[in-house]
Amino acid sequence: MHTELTTMGDENREMMRQMVREFGEKHIRPHVMEWDEAQVFPVDTFKAMGQLGLMGVLVPEEYGGAGLGYDEYVDVIVEVARICGSVGLSLAAHNSLCSGHILAFGNDEQKQRWLPKLATAEWIGAWALTEANTGSDALRMGTAAVLDGDEYVVNGSKNWITHGKSGDIAVVMVRTGEKARAHGVSALVIEKGTPGFTHGKKENKLGMRASETTELIFDNCRVPRENLLGEEGDGFRQAMKVLDGGRISIAALALGIAKGALAAATKYAKERHQFGQPIATFQGISFKLADMATEVEAAELLIRQACALKNRGEDVAKNSAMAKYYASEVAVRCATEAVQIFGGYGYTKDFPVEKYYRDSKLCTIGEGTSEIQKLVIAREVLK
């Protein structure tokens, strides 16, 4: 790990952003459409990002990570997502969900055991909460774990799991008590190769197609009791805390997509001529760009505010929900307007904006829908 990344002044942050930008231009951009069309999850690219410290941005140096704060983490995701939302999504899921859960709630032995492999991308991480019949209503999960001696026997399945097939390790929320009770859920770390732990079908998605999404299946899967994170019955509370941070990740992902769409639309508007002049000179186009640019700036300010609270260890429930809700909706609006500015070309796969358009929608759904964010925000406002 590059130790010079561990203390970040403005100059170092810019150097890091430049490093990520250069890596993305060289190793991601040339393959974006190829990966998207074939739905390829580029594991080797993630291993290479691990060598740069990008797969353990928030993990302390003692566990093999970069030991950086949330602002630097947002910088990394934004730079990657400007080029490819799929790679940005997988980067976010690995860092904030899987590694983030172990970092926040694992004991030292568990951190020493798993985080170094995750921080270097020797292992790719997954995180499993959602099931086929429990999306927003996660407390009614059916996947259950029953203690048998020193092992939990896990049965059930999880849906919409990023890296469900290629992941080497998963943090899995399981029911250890009554259904629909917050204290009835626990978090178990389950390693690939554990008998009874397999993946199911891979989803054929509208966008984010190079970020692998599959089912996880547990059939009398025996997991050592020592793989329990925290206390039994504490898993749902843990998951909600992890999602507070995860929402900053998805907000950053959305911001990167919005910035990418805005940059592409601005460049095209200057180059495309109609009626003897660049289309950027027409008010109908220039006002679209003005709206997009304003909303992108506002989204970034909300995200940075949430980062500041997170870095100080303060409660971020309201601010991360606001950032995620606003940034994700902005990403959709910016991508939609970018397609409009490109006109017919925006509807083809020869230009980048149709992919921003497809990728952006996931940001309003994953890690809590826009509607759930409004519930969280309203609850905080009405306290």
Side-chain angles (χ1 to χ4, degrees), residues 206-224:
L206 168 72
M208 302 291 195
R209 289 165 62 83
S211 178
E212 175 189 282
T213 308
T214 74
E215 285 180 301
L216 292 183
I217 298 166
F218 307 95
D219 181 12
N220 288 322
C221 175
R222 301 186 78 89
V223 182

Side-chain angles (χ1 to χ4, degrees), residues 171-244:
V171 178
V172 184
M173 268 44 72
V174 295
R175 191 163 50 77
T176 49
E178 289 180 57
K179 204 177 247 192
R181 294 292 179 90
H183 61 260
V185 176
S186 301
L188 291 176
V189 177
I190 308 180
E191 297 180 15
K192 192 181 206 171
T194 303
F197 176 30
T198 55
H199 67 85
K201 71 163 184 159
K202 182 176 172 179
E203 303 295 344
N204 184 6
K205 306 194 300 286
L206 168 72
M208 302 291 195
R209 289 165 62 83
S211 178
E212 175 189 282
T213 308
T214 74
E215 285 180 301
L216 292 183
I217 298 166
F218 307 95
D219 181 12
N220 288 322
C221 175
R222 301 186 78 89
V223 182
R225 189 174 188 169
E226 67 200 35
N227 286 24
L228 177 71
L229 292 173
E231 301 296 321
E232 189 174 289
D234 205 26
F236 188 75
R237 184 190 68 83
Q238 292 178 11
M240 293 304 103
K241 284 285 183 192
V242 169
L243 284 174
D244 281 345

Side-chain angles (χ1 to χ4, degrees), residues 54-76:
L54 305 183
M55 298 295 276
V57 182
L58 299 165
V59 175
E61 288 180 274
E62 64 188 290
Y63 302 118
L68 299 175
Y70 263 78
D71 280 302
E72 292 84 359
Y73 175 51
V74 164
D75 289 343
V76 169

